[in-house]
Amino acid sequence: MKGLTIDYAVLLPALLPVAGLVVVLVADLVVPRGRRLPWAVAGLASLGSAAATLPGLALGGGSTRQSFCLTAGTAAGGSLPRVEGLPQVCFWQADALGSTLQLAAALSAVVCIALAWPRAGRRRPEGGTREPVEAVLLLAALAGTVVVAASRDVGTWLVALELATLPVIALVALSGRRSAAAGATQLLVTSLVSFALLVLGVALWFAATGSPFLTPDAALSSAGSFAATGGPSDVVLPSVSSGLVSLATVLVMAGVGFKLSLVPFHAWTPTAYAGSSVPVAAFLATVSKVAALAALLVVLRAVAVLGTPGVLAIAVLAALSMTLGNVMALRQDDVVRLLAWSTVAQAGWVVLPLVSISALGVAASATYLLTYVVATLVAFAVVAVTLRDQRAGGRTIAAYDGLWRRSPWRAGALVLALTSLAGLPPGVIGLVGKVTALRPVVAEGWVWLAVIAAVNAVIGVAVYLRWLRGVITEPEAPQPAVADGADKTGRGGVAVRRPVVVAGLALSAAVLVVVSVQPDLLLRLLG
């Protein structure tokens, strides 16, 4: 198209996962029985995607890295509406906040790949295709997450968000557990409902603004676009248009609420987590949540310029999610289900600052999401390593009794992760995240919501200390007996030490230690 400019360097965070996906498919044709090669390629592609986001982290003062840009004249002369006051409109815009979300998604994918690393000494049976399929699905979901964080047109935004979601449904179904089918089915049904709400929201946005772009300029044009028709509706239609923008925002919030596990859209979460393998559950809890919030922030940053007042629906969803998530987490003995309900509660904290649809609310929400992602990733990594030691028994809280004696470094990582989620020292970054999340709420005068959040912060402490108490104070839990003739390959019930899995835990724990010691580093990354 004439006038279209593409900067491929800016697109590298998305292009590298796609390239890795293609390489995995080709490699599977050449080495059809390799088990580690697909995951190695996926890990390298994810690392490359993370590295490609680094130039965007230094952006400030509203600067963005842009690609797929059309000049205003080209946009006006073609099928796209002209955006007044801009020399060009861009489908891809990544600023410091967007690049940080992309980096978080890519690094989280690296850790999930490490946790899923296959055992040594075992080859896939002839015709088996599970590892390449899983690697391809993971890379596709990562590519969708990266794209949605930088997309600025409704078509790319919607397609990328679904690309970040649908492969994860297949990953849940492929987990091999009996409950995986139920979790995948629930996730698929809720995703279809979510997609319907998002499409309706996008349609209302286009009807209100006349623009396919999710930008502040398009939102501002909603008041003047109808007056340009020259009809007698110069006074009435602008207010109707603004109302449509507000309704579109609410529908997008509801659609993304399914993906964020907000109450009442959360029902799939405990079933899908419990039915998944630990690496897939970790991917659902981290990368998928980054995709959902990134999609929501694209819309909210566009409408913030209208000075939209606090949205009561967001306040209600945040309060319900925090309360129900914490209460249900208190009743769980399965640590994966506990982390699933923790996700519901933490989702309430993630959207809490968005009662202020402003730059302050957006930055606070992104800050809390990144805090949650790092801490949750460490918790899942500890669970994954523990399962290598104790098999199915590692999913119960009792399996972590005396962990401090068996593995001090693993216990230390779990303590840091759970105290970060609770907002207690030594998890300083969790405390910073909660204070940051409450600032916009107090600034907007939502006193009742701040009180509910404070009460839930106390309940959350009880949730995580219930798990930690045995880790620190209880005697070491007895290990299950090993059957006669069992070897150390994992077939006879004995744990298998996999350095790559341990490396995944070490990487995520190191990031959590850094941001806990220097919490201002995270704030600076977000610009």
Side-chain angles (χ1 to χ4, degrees):
M1 181 184 295
K2 184 179 179 180
L4 178 65
T5 58
I6 302 176
D7 187 342
Y8 290 100
V10 175
L11 300 176
L12 275 179
L15 292 177
L16 289 174
V18 174
L21 183 155
V22 174
V23 171
V24 169
L25 293 175
V26 173
D28 188 47
L29 295 175
V30 178
V31 190
R33 298 185 65 187
R35 302 187 73 239
R36 291 183 166 184
L37 182 59
W39 288 117
V41 173
L44 290 175
S46 300
L47 281 173
S49 179
T53 65
L54 296 180
L57 302 181
L59 296 175
S63 300
T64 60
R65 303 178 74 210
Q66 301 176 339
S67 189
F68 282 107
C69 295
L70 291 167
T71 61
T74 303
S79 60
L80 299 175
R82 179 167 183 159
V83 181
E84 297 294 340
L86 282 181
Q88 63 180 7
V89 287
C90 299
F91 293 84
W92 178 290
Q93 296 182 33
D95 56 5
L97 189 149
S99 296
T100 303
L101 292 177
Q102 291 173 337
L103 175 64
L107 289 180
S108 298
V110 171
V111 175
C112 293
I113 289 168
L115 299 183
W117 196 257
R119 291 190 180 101
R122 299 181 66 184
R123 296 176 66 85
R124 286 191 289 134
E126 191 68 35
T129 58
R130 179 170 173 175
E131 284 78 10
V133 169
E134 289 179 336
V136 165
L137 292 172
L138 186 145
L139 288 173
L142 174 60
T145 301
V146 170
V147 172
V148 78
S151 60
R152 291 299 183 270
D153 67 288
V154 293
T156 305
W157 178 85
L158 192 58
V159 171
L161 182 55
E162 292 311 303
L163 179 61
T165 303
L166 295 179
V168 184
I169 300 175
L171 283 173
V172 173
L174 289 171
S175 295
R177 300 174 61 87
R178 291 182 179 178
S179 54
T185 301
Q186 287 192 18
L187 184 52
L188 176 61
V189 171
T190 55
S191 295
L192 293 176
V193 176
S194 169
F195 181 72
L197 291 172
L198 292 172
V199 169
L200 183 56
V202 165
L204 290 176
W205 173 273
F206 188 80
T209 65
S211 171
F213 293 99
L214 297 167
T215 60
D217 298 277
L220 286 174
S221 70
S222 62
S225 58
F226 291 93
T229 62
S233 56
D234 293 4
V235 176
V236 178
L237 285 180
S239 61
V240 173
S241 179
S242 298
L244 288 177
V245 170
S246 298
L247 181 56
T249 304
V250 171
L251 287 172
V252 168
M253 181 70 202
V256 173
F258 283 100
K259 303 178 189 300
L260 277 175
S261 300
L262 288 172
V263 173
F265 315 117
H266 69 287
W268 63 269
T269 308
T271 306
Y273 280 39
S276 305
S277 63
V278 171
V280 173
F283 193 89
L284 267 172
T286 55
V287 179
S288 294
K289 296 301 178 282
V290 172
L293 185 68
L296 181 59
L297 294 187
V298 169
V299 176
L300 293 185
R301 295 175 81 182
V303 301
V305 70
L306 299 177
T308 306
V311 179
L312 179 60
I314 295 179
V316 173
L317 291 177
L320 289 176
S321 298
M322 287 187 290
T323 304
L324 181 63
N326 282 326
V327 170
M328 293 302 296
L330 277 172
R331 305 177 58 185
Q332 306 303 315
D333 289 321
D334 185 309
V335 293
V336 175
R337 283 188 172 271
L338 187 153
L339 288 172
W341 285 107
S342 168
T343 296
V344 176
Q346 299 295 337
W349 280 96
V350 168
V351 301
L352 179 68
L354 297 179
V355 295
S356 173
I357 302 181
S358 62
L360 177 63
V362 166
S365 179
T367 299
Y368 196 89
L369 174 76
L370 296 179
T371 299
Y372 154 80
V373 164
V374 177
T376 300
L377 201 57
V378 173
F380 269 111
V382 172
V383 173
V385 174
T386 303
L387 283 173
R388 309 299 183 194
D389 291 341
Q390 296 180 253
R391 298 159 306 283
R395 291 178 70 100
T396 64
I397 290 179
Y400 296 83
D401 290 351
L403 182 62
W404 192 269
R405 294 180 177 85
R406 297 198 304 275
S407 179
W409 78 274
R410 199 194 318 162
L414 185 60
V415 167
L416 188 59
L418 297 184
T419 53
S420 295
L421 291 172
L424 294 174
V428 178
I429 188 62
L431 178 60
V432 172
K434 281 184 166 52
V435 172
T436 303
L438 283 170
R439 283 182 60 200
V441 179
V442 175
E444 290 284 340
W446 294 80
V447 178
W448 66 269
L449 184 58
V451 171
I452 291 177
V455 171
N456 275 282
V458 176
I459 301 175
V461 170
V463 169
Y464 302 112
L465 288 186
R466 176 169 166 262
W467 187 354
L468 282 179
R469 180 178 59 84
V471 172
I472 300 173
T473 63
E474 294 295 325
E476 182 175 349
Q479 300 298 311
V482 178
D484 292 339
D487 57 29
K488 295 188 178 182
T489 64
R491 293 184 294 272
V494 178
V496 177
R497 289 289 182 182
R498 289 191 236 174
V500 178
V501 177
V502 176
L505 171 57
L507 172 63
S508 56
V511 173
L512 184 56
V513 168
V514 170
V515 296
S516 294
V517 174
Q518 292 288 337
D520 60 315
L521 175 63
L522 185 59
L523 302 178
R524 289 201 303 268
L525 282 176
L526 291 169

